[in-house]
Amino acid sequence: MDLTKVCDEILNSLKNQHMCIVTGECFVSYQGRAASKLPKGRRLLIIKADSSVSIHENRLVRPTNYMTNARTSCVVEGDELKLLSKNKAKETLEIIFYTIEDIHTYDLPMGNDLRLSGSEKELNDALMDDLSFLEPGLKPINQQQAFRTGVCDIIAEDKDGKLVVIELKRRQADYGAVTQLKRYVEQVQKLKNVKTRGILLAPDIRKSAMELLQSYNLEYYSYDFEVGERSKIKGIGKSQQKLGDY
Amino acid sequence: MDLTKVCDEILNSLKNQHMCIVTGECFVSYQGRAASKLPKGRRLLIIKADSSVSIHENRLVRPTNYMTNARTSCVVEGDELKLLSKNKAKETLEIIFYTIEDIHTYDLPMGNDLRLSGSEKELNDALMDDLSFLEPGLKPINQQQAFRTGVCDIIAEDKDGKLVVIELKRRQADYGAVTQLKRYVEQVQKLKNVKTRGILLAPDIRKSAMELLQSYNLEYYSYDFEVGERSKIKGIGKSQQKLGDY
DNA sequence: GCTGGGAGAGGCTTA
DNA sequence: TAAGCCTTTCCCAGC
C-alpha cells in the first residue's frame, strides 16, 4: 500500500479523534519504566480518540505494547512508516511498519457507557442499609471515611457502644486487605482514643492472610453475594466456621 | 451488510484461528464474577486466535468488555447477529449486533514475541552481582528464597554477620512493599531465631509508606536504574537523604 | 490441566 | 498533581 496515503490517514485520524486500525509487518520498541522490543512481525495497531496506542498480537485480551496519553507523530522514511509516541514521563514507543496490509478509520463515539453491577461500592451500599444481620445491634456511623492513609469502608458502633471498623472486599481477601484494615483500626483508635474492633468481610480469605488477621486480633466474616441490577448480600458466615476448616 | 455472510466470516475466523475485527452498533451484556451492560452503541469487536473476545470503545487501552478462554457461538436471529461466549466458570458474554459496518479477517501469527528488559527479576540479578555498593561488606546468601507467604527478594549477611532481608521494587514503594518486607523479616527472624534487618530498595517511596517503614525500624535506600539489554543499578541514595526531604 | 498464591498495572476518584 | 485503592488480572509453581 501507498505509505504516504496511510500516513495521511493516520494523521487525519489522530486529528479527528477517530479510531484507526492498521495491520502489517512491524517492529516495536519501548523505552521507559522498562524497555522492550517486539521483533519484526505481523500485528494489529489500534489508535483511539484519547490518543492511546496499542499493538495487538493474535492472542490475549491485553495489548502486547501500548501507551496512554501519548502524543504521536507519524512520518514516512524511505520505505518505512514510523510512528513515535511520547508521554509526559518521557517514555517512548516507536513503531516501524515495513509493510501495510490494511488500514481502516472509524468515527466512533468516545463514550464511556459501561453499566457495571456488583462492584465493591455497590456491595458497600447494600451493607450500609442493614448491618444488623452481620451482628445484632451493629449500627453504621459513617461510610467511606477518609483517613490520612486511605479511605475506610464503613465505621459502625456495636451494641456495647464500641467502635467497629469494617473493611469490605468483593473477592478473596489477601495480606493487603488485612494490613489495610489494621491501619484503619489503629488510626481510629488513635483518633478517638478508644479501643476499636476491626472486621474484615470478604467472600473468602487466604489461609495465611487469616493467620495474620488473627495475630492482629481482627475478625473475619465470610459472605455470599449475588450480582444483579442491584447487588445483594445473601448471607454471612462466622469466621469460626472458617477457622474450623483449617 | 449481509448478516449471514458476516456470521460465516466470524465462524470461519474462529475455526481457523484468524483475528477478526467487526465494527457496528451493538449491545453487550456480561454475567459472571460481576455483571455489566453496554447499551446500544457503535463499537469495535476483536476476536483472536486464542478465542479471546474483546469489545473496544474509542478510548483507553483496555477493552470495555471481554472474555478469555471462551467458547463462542455466532448466529443470525431475524435482523440481529448474536454472539455468545462462555468460559469454564460459566460466565457469559453476549454481544448483539444490530448493524454491521465493517468486518475484516487477518491471518496473523499467534506468536508471543515480546522481549522485555528492566523487569524486577533482572534488577534483582544485577543487584545480586554486587551488593557491596549498597553497604560495604554486604554479601548475598540466597536469592528469591521461597517462604510460605511469598518470595523474599534477597537475603544477605552484613559485615557484622547479621542477616539482612532486602526487598526490591522497580517502582515507587507503597504500603504493600513495606508490609511485605515486614512479614519477610519477621519470618526470617522466627526461622533462624536471630535479629534480622530489613532493607527496602526502590526508586522512590510514598511519604506515608516511609513513615510506616520507620515505625517498623526498617531501612530504605533509593536507587536509580537504567534499562537496556542488561539493566544496571546506577546509584544508591541513603534513606537519610530522603528523610531530610520531608 | 487445574489451582492456589502472590504480585502488579491500568484506571478512577478524591484531596 | 499525588495518593490510595479497586479489578471480569496475570503469571508461576506445585500438584
Side-chain angles (χ1 to χ4, degrees):
Chain A
M1 288 183 75
D2 182 347
L3 289 187
T4 309
K5 274 193 173 173
V6 170
C7 185
D8 285 347
E9 187 163 343
I10 290 174
L11 290 172
N12 262 317
S13 190
L14 282 164
K15 194 176 67 184
N16 300 318
Q17 302 198 310
H18 293 167
M19 188 189 286
C20 184
I21 66 164
V22 183
T23 321
E25 180 157 57
C26 62
F27 164 86
V28 183
S29 162
Y30 160 70
Q31 287 282 337
R33 287 157 295 179
S36 69
K37 284 193 199 310
L38 263 179
K40 239 189 202 195
R42 296 173 56 238
R43 305 180 185 99
L44 178 79
L45 164 70
I46 305 180
I47 302 173
K48 294 188 181 183
D50 61 353
S51 65
S52 61
V53 174
S54 315
I55 290 284
H56 284 262
E57 293 185 295
N58 195 7
R59 57 193 288 278
L60 299 184
V61 164
R62 309 251 222 149
T64 310
N65 275 103
Y66 54 87
M67 183 169 283
T68 53
N69 297 314
R71 290 190 65 81
T72 299
S73 66
C74 182
V75 293
V76 177
E77 281 186 17
D79 49 2
E80 295 173 359
L81 181 72
K82 290 194 180 179
L83 285 116
L84 183 62
S85 302
K86 295 185 187 190
N87 64 12
K88 285 191 182 158
K90 307 252 180 193
E91 298 185 296
T92 60
L93 178 68
E94 186 183 36
I95 304 168
I96 302 174
F97 275 99
Y98 303 99
T99 57
I100 303 284
E101 297 175 22
D102 213 1
I103 176 168
H104 297 282
T105 303
Y106 303 109
D107 183 7
L108 298 183
M110 259 187 90
N112 176 14
D113 292 334
L114 192 70
R115 309 264 176 277
L116 182 72
S117 320
S119 66
E120 185 180 304
K121 189 180 178 322
E122 219 182 74
L123 293 175
N124 210 321
D125 291 343
L127 196 63
M128 276 299 271
D129 286 348
D130 185 14
L131 276 176
S132 66
F133 65 95
L134 212 179
E135 182 179 290
L138 203 58
K139 283 188 180 56
I141 295 179
N142 211 337
Q143 190 176 7
Q144 299 286 316
Q145 163 107 31
F147 292 115
R148 201 173 42 72
T149 68
V151 177
C152 160
D153 285 338
I154 291 173
I155 297 183
E157 200 175 67
D158 71 11
K159 63 178 197 308
D160 304 323
K162 197 180 267 184
L163 283 178
V164 184
V165 173
I166 302 173
E167 178 63 30
L168 178 71
K169 292 292 168 201
R170 69 180 303 287
R171 28 178 226 177
Q172 188 182 51
D174 58 13
Y175 284 118
V178 175
T179 55
Q180 202 181 345
L181 176 59
K182 177 83 177 336
R183 284 201 304 277
Y184 298 154
V185 168
E186 281 173 353
Q187 281 186 39
V188 170
Q189 221 150 234
K190 210 168 180 178
L191 209 69
K192 309 274 183 178
N193 205 30
V194 290
K195 200 102 175 97
T196 304
R197 295 168 57 196
I199 296 179
L200 180 59
L201 200 50
D204 189 15
I205 187 168
R206 293 193 189 163
K207 187 175 173 183
S208 47
M210 184 61 158
E211 289 167 6
L212 187 65
L213 175 124
Q214 290 179 285
S215 78
Y216 285 155
N217 283 314
L218 300 171
E219 302 161 56
Y220 166 74
Y221 292 87
S222 64
Y223 74 98
D224 286 316
F225 67 96
E226 194 176 67
V227 297
E229 290 300 317
R230 216 178 129 67
S231 302
K232 284 197 315 192
I233 311 272
K234 275 167 46 183
I236 303 280
K238 294 287 286 184
S239 66
Q240 277 66 23
Q241 292 172 0
K242 201 73 203 171
L243 279 171
D245 296 344
Y246 298 143
Chain B
M1 288 183 74
D2 182 346
L3 289 187
T4 310
K5 273 193 174 173
V6 170
C7 186
D8 285 346
E9 187 162 344
I10 290 174
L11 290 173
N12 262 315
S13 192
L14 281 165
K15 193 175 65 182
N16 300 318
Q17 303 198 310
H18 293 167
M19 188 188 286
C20 184
I21 66 165
V22 183
T23 322
E25 182 158 56
C26 61
F27 165 85
V28 184
S29 163
Y30 159 72
Q31 288 281 338
R33 284 156 288 185
S36 69
K37 283 193 199 312
L38 263 178
K40 238 190 202 193
R42 296 173 56 238
R43 302 179 189 100
L44 179 79
L45 164 69
I46 306 181
I47 302 173
K48 294 189 181 184
D50 60 353
S51 67
S52 61
V53 174
S54 315
I55 290 284
H56 284 263
E57 293 185 296
N58 196 6
R59 58 192 289 276
L60 301 183
V61 163
R62 307 245 221 159
T64 311
N65 275 101
Y66 57 89
M67 183 168 282
T68 53
N69 298 314
R71 289 191 66 81
T72 300
S73 66
C74 183
V75 293
V76 177
E77 281 186 17
D79 49 3
E80 295 173 359
L81 181 71
K82 291 195 180 178
L83 285 115
L84 182 62
S85 303
K86 293 186 187 190
N87 63 14
K88 288 195 178 154
K90 308 251 179 194
E91 298 185 296
T92 60
L93 178 68
E94 188 184 33
I95 305 167
I96 302 175
F97 275 98
Y98 303 99
T99 57
I100 303 285
E101 296 175 23
D102 213 1
I103 177 168
H104 297 282
T105 303
Y106 303 109
D107 183 6
L108 298 182
M110 261 188 89
N112 175 15
D113 292 335
L114 191 70
R115 308 263 177 278
L116 182 71
S117 325
S119 64
E120 187 176 305
K121 188 180 179 324
E122 221 182 74
L123 292 175
N124 210 322
D125 291 342
L127 196 63
M128 277 297 271
D129 286 347
D130 186 14
L131 277 175
S132 65
F133 65 95
L134 213 179
E135 182 177 290
L138 205 58
K139 285 188 179 56
I141 294 180
N142 208 337
Q143 189 178 4
Q144 300 276 336
Q145 162 131 17
F147 290 103
R148 201 170 39 67
T149 68
V151 176
C152 162
D153 284 339
I154 291 173
I155 297 184
E157 200 176 68
D158 72 10
K159 64 179 194 308
D160 305 323
K162 197 180 266 183
L163 283 179
V164 185
V165 174
I166 303 172
E167 178 64 29
L168 179 69
K169 288 294 166 201
R170 62 184 305 287
R171 20 180 244 177
Q172 188 183 50
D174 57 14
Y175 284 119
V178 176
T179 54
Q180 202 180 347
L181 177 59
K182 177 84 178 336
R183 285 199 304 277
Y184 295 154
V185 169
E186 280 172 352
Q187 282 186 31
V188 171
Q189 221 150 233
K190 210 168 180 178
L191 210 67
K192 309 275 181 176
N193 206 30
V194 288
K195 200 104 174 94
T196 304
R197 295 168 58 197
I199 296 179
L200 179 59
L201 202 48
D204 191 14
I205 187 168
R206 291 192 191 166
K207 188 175 172 180
S208 46
M210 183 62 158
E211 290 167 7
L212 187 65
L213 175 125
Q214 290 180 286
S215 79
Y216 286 156
N217 284 315
L218 301 171
E219 303 161 56
Y220 166 73
Y221 292 86
S222 65
Y223 73 98
D224 285 318
F225 67 96
E226 194 175 68
V227 297
E229 291 300 318
R230 215 178 129 67
S231 302
K232 285 199 314 192
I233 309 274
K234 273 165 49 182
I236 303 282
K238 294 287 285 183
S239 66
Q240 277 66 21
Q241 293 173 358
K242 203 73 202 169
L243 279 169
D245 296 344
Y246 297 144

